[in-house]
Amino acid sequence: MAPSLCAQCKTSRALILRPKDHTKLCRACFLTTFETEIHHTITSTALFTRGERIAIGASGGKDSTVLASVMKTLNERYDYGLDLILLSIDEGIKGYRDDSLETVKRNAEQYGMELCILGYDELYGWTMDQVVEQVGKRGNCTYCGVFRRQALDRGAARLGVKHVVTGHNADDVAETVLMNLLRGDLPRLSRTTSIVTSTPSLTADPAANTNIKRSKPLKYAYEKEIVLYAHHKNLDYFSTECIYSPEAFRGSARALIKNLERVRPSAILDVVRSGEDMAKLVPGSDEGCGGVCASSVPAGEEEEGGCGSAQGRSSGGEMATMEQALSSNDHAADNGLEIEITTSKIAKTAAPLPLTVGKSRKVPKAPHASRTQPKKQVMGQCKKCGYLSSQDICKACVLLEGLNKNRPKNHIEVGYEPDKEVSGVADAVKDIHVGAG
Amino acid sequence: MSDAKDEGMIKITVEFSGGLEMLFSNERKLSLTIPAKDEDGTRSNIAFLVRHLCDTVMKDPRKELFVLDDTVRPGILVLINDADWELEGEDKYEIEDGDNILFVSTLHGG
Ligand SMILES: [Zn+2]
Ligand SMILES: [Zn+2]
């Protein structure tokens, strides 16, 4: 097959076939085109303001590495006047982040950016390893997922940064659109298609976690092109199999997207655009009211899947395998949160109750959240931490409350207060009824 | 004895990245010698190489993470001498001596 020439410069050999329009480009033209399109996304949405301090949510993975590299390039090329820093979250899982944090540290040097690594212990008072020790392996994914969703916002608040950018790409958005479509959840769909999923400032308190703006400059960038960009630009990134599995539903949506892309590459952007158009039809959508109306969902509440998802994704088959591996020791790997809390309480006093009957896979809900309808959420702030929440107390704070109540381990309180233990079990059982109903 | 001709075999480089190396014993780069022609006597192409990798190189039992429906799994990019395989005829591309074939996963996170 004769090599084809680049459609743009018409001199170099074409190496890239663009999924969105089948243009054939050489390496240099591809890199420039990719960057220019991100620039257009940024300027057409007026994403940044001059002098703004921006935290780039960095995991060392391909998406955030490409985001950091492109942000640096554009900030210099077009003189955005942005102050860019890298913000990484360490869940505190021994060994898990070692390699990816090393990658982020190298990136910080390569890009000449300040790097801040915040641990779950600093943000929540608990590392994931400690959580696992407390609740067992089974429930930890719920904790990690809920904590992760707020971690960047909490971290940014710590640093006094008001705007966090994440590496979510077109494939991620398309996947989320499909998931919400399949769930019939248009309000949430409308929220997640927006490029800025900012948590609106309900208070004037600048320290509140709720005042952080979140955006995704790579929203229209194909994952395929992100990987090709990293490859052709020789970027240093880290890949891993997610050690905790996102929900199977997300994996299926993912596989569907990738299969569609094989047959019809434009499908990914088409789904993103359809999502945006549908969002406009949703009453009280972000498009109409700037994101402060009742249908809003807090930034991170939905767009990132289970544990490790946004930056750490694996395919359906892998997830199944991972799941099996993870649950080999314990048979009820995917129960909701309610049950997890219960088993952890009970584990100390009695044999585990057969609580798993009839529990179907669904998005885990905090006990307090399960009583309300998901469709008509009224956004307020968590009374404890100030994070935007549809409940009085946000999911993270509910989980933390449970953890802190049971913090014992060091205190050897088991057996000293049998009454308390018993009532704990009773409470937990009550919660199960609520949760399953 | 079986292959007396010296053009019977070709030497190529096969690379894995983006997390795919984890399916290949963490080898990122392999030098392979493969038959110039497949079982049917036609020039070896990418489809043949993929079968070859599955049958003789890949120790990981999770073949479906690499191959699905007899072709490279959607979400895995194939670059032939740095060019997208879609520009080269995909799995019908006939491999030449000295070729570099890179498989990159887009499915893994970081
Ligand atoms: Zn060119
Ligand atoms: Zn809270």
Side-chain angles (χ1 to χ4, degrees):
Chain A
M1 206 179 252
S4 30
L5 287 180
C6 170
Q8 225 160 63
C9 65
K10 306 211 166 48
T11 52
S12 303
R13 183 180 164 217
L15 294 180
I16 289 100
L17 180 70
R18 301 204 69 197
K20 65 189 251 185
D21 56 10
H22 287 91
T23 325
K24 298 171 182 174
L25 296 177
C26 71
R27 178 183 170 277
C29 291
F30 165 70
L31 295 179
T32 317
T33 305
F34 183 86
E35 292 156 1
T36 307
E37 286 185 1
I38 310 295
H39 172 63
H40 283 312
T41 304
I42 289 170
T43 50
S44 65
T45 54
L47 209 52
F48 305 124
T49 53
R50 202 172 176 77
E52 202 174 2
R53 194 162 150 82
I54 309 279
I56 301 168
S59 68
K62 56 182 161 39
D63 300 301
S64 60
T65 300
V66 166
L67 177 64
S69 172
V70 171
M71 287 290 289
K72 176 189 166 59
T73 302
L74 296 179
N75 193 33
E76 286 166 6
R77 182 180 300 159
Y78 297 100
D79 189 27
Y80 291 165
L82 300 176
D83 181 10
L84 301 172
I85 66 168
L86 296 170
L87 172 57
S88 293
I89 302 299
D90 184 353
E91 295 87 347
I93 302 167
K94 199 166 180 356
Y96 175 54
R97 281 288 170 201
D98 292 357
D99 293 332
S100 56
L101 288 178
E102 282 312 309
T103 310
V104 178
K105 285 176 195 165
R106 284 198 305 274
N107 288 342
E109 255 173 57
Q110 288 152 1
Y111 306 152
M113 285 181 199
E114 188 190 323
L115 165 65
C116 180
I117 302 174
L118 283 172
Y120 274 15
D121 49 346
E122 294 163 90
L123 296 172
Y124 300 105
W126 290 80
T127 67
M128 271 313 290
D129 281 342
Q130 290 169 331
V131 172
V132 170
E133 203 180 310
Q134 174 101 341
V135 308
K137 255 190 172 180
R138 267 173 271 173
N140 70 75
C141 207
T142 305
Y143 289 80
C144 196
V146 170
F147 287 171
R148 180 189 297 268
R149 272 160 221 154
Q150 287 190 10
L152 284 176
D153 290 23
R154 287 184 182 227
R158 279 282 175 92
L159 301 177
V161 175
K162 314 287 292 175
H163 190 164
V164 178
V165 291
T166 57
H168 292 93
N169 58 44
D171 294 54
D172 296 326
V173 177
E175 169 189 304
T176 307
V177 167
L178 275 186
M179 286 174 69
N180 287 312
L181 195 61
L182 295 173
R183 283 193 196 122
D185 196 343
L186 283 182
R188 191 158 274 178
L189 181 150
S190 101
R191 176 75 196 176
T192 47
T193 51
S194 163
I195 186 163
V196 177
T197 51
S198 72
T199 44
S201 33
L202 296 178
T203 65
D205 179 6
N209 296 318
T210 181
N211 271 332
I212 311 297
K213 173 177 172 180
R214 274 241 219 162
S215 66
K216 28 184 189 254
L218 301 183
K219 179 191 168 188
Y220 297 110
Y222 275 75
E223 188 158 65
K224 172 179 172 177
E225 295 203 337
I226 287 172
V227 171
L228 287 177
Y229 185 89
H231 170 74
H232 288 294
K233 223 184 163 192
N234 253 316
L235 297 184
D236 182 6
Y237 71 93
F238 174 75
S239 337
T240 183
E241 292 181 276
C242 180
I243 60 165
Y244 299 121
S245 48
E247 336 146 49
F249 188 43
R250 181 170 286 274
S252 306
R254 194 77 181 165
L256 179 55
I257 290 284
K258 292 294 182 193
N259 286 328
L260 282 173
E261 181 185 25
R262 192 51 82 75
V263 192
R264 194 175 121 92
S266 67
I268 291 181
L269 270 190
D270 292 341
V271 170
V272 172
R273 299 229 164 83
S274 302
E276 291 171 344
D277 288 344
M278 281 186 278
K280 286 179 196 146
L281 301 175
V282 177
S285 74
D286 291 352
E287 304 292 327
C289 70
V292 280
C293 49
S295 68
S296 301
V297 173
E301 196 163 289
E302 183 51 29
E303 60 189 306
E304 288 155 41
C307 179
S309 156
Q311 321 287 354
R313 180 163 300 96
S314 53
S315 57
E318 268 158 48
M319 289 190 293
T321 320
M322 277 298 159
E323 239 156 50
Q324 273 166 13
L326 272 178
S327 58
S328 56
N329 295 331
D330 36 31
H331 23 265
D334 70 39
N335 292 310
L337 159 67
E338 304 90 322
I339 286 168
E340 295 316 322
I341 288 172
T342 307
T343 38
S344 70
K345 281 177 184 164
I346 292 169
K348 297 189 197 88
T349 49
L353 297 172
L355 298 170
T356 61
V357 190
K359 216 23 204 168
S360 65
R361 178 189 288 275
K362 60 178 180 179
V363 182
K365 280 179 188 153
H368 301 246
S370 52
R371 271 174 222 124
T372 48
Q373 291 293 331
K375 291 288 142 96
K376 258 277 179 197
Q377 288 177 333
V378 177
M379 282 300 138
Q381 281 176 270
C382 170
K383 293 206 163 64
K384 290 212 147 165
C385 72
Y387 191 82
L388 194 73
S389 169
S390 50
Q391 313 299 325
D392 278 356
I393 309 290
C394 76
K395 282 183 194 174
C397 288
V398 170
L399 291 178
L400 282 174
E401 211 174 275
L403 284 172
N404 292 333
K405 228 183 258 169
N406 285 341
R407 183 148 251 192
K409 294 273 170 187
N410 325 330
H411 303 253
I412 328 170
E413 42 77 275
V414 181
Y416 275 80
E417 299 173 307
D419 289 349
K420 200 174 177 189
E421 286 296 329
V422 168
S423 75
V425 171
D427 284 346
V429 171
K430 208 168 65 201
D431 275 349
I432 289 158
H433 288 302
V434 173
Chain B
M1 290 296 164
S2 50
D3 256 326
K5 293 178 194 170
D6 40 10
E7 74 264 31
M9 305 296 277
I10 48 176
K11 278 192 162 161
I12 57 168
T13 306
V14 176
E15 292 185 74
F16 305 101
S17 75
L20 206 56
E21 64 273 17
M22 285 177 260
L23 294 179
F24 290 88
S25 319
N26 279 309
E27 298 272 10
R28 298 183 74 97
K29 195 166 188 172
L30 300 174
S31 290
L32 287 186
T33 306
I34 60 164
K37 292 185 172 159
D38 68 10
E39 311 87 336
D40 307 325
T42 52
R43 296 259 314 272
S44 295
N45 58 20
I46 299 288
F48 171 80
L49 173 65
V50 168
R51 278 202 306 279
H52 178 79
L53 289 172
C54 267
D55 295 345
T56 65
V57 180
M58 193 176 175
K59 303 274 190 310
D60 198 300
R62 298 170 296 171
K63 311 286 181 203
E64 74 282 358
L65 297 184
F66 181 51
V67 173
L68 214 59
D69 299 330
D70 283 334
T71 187
V72 178
R73 186 190 170 106
I76 295 174
L77 310 180
V78 187
L79 301 190
I80 300 166
N81 302 319
D82 239 12
D84 194 325
W85 75 331
E86 290 176 72
L87 295 167
E88 305 286 340
E90 300 192 29
D91 62 3
K92 290 177 192 60
Y93 170 83
E94 295 178 346
I95 301 173
E96 296 188 25
D97 196 55
D99 274 352
N100 178 298
I101 319 285
L102 166 65
F103 297 92
V104 198
S105 173
T106 68
L107 301 167
H108 290 74

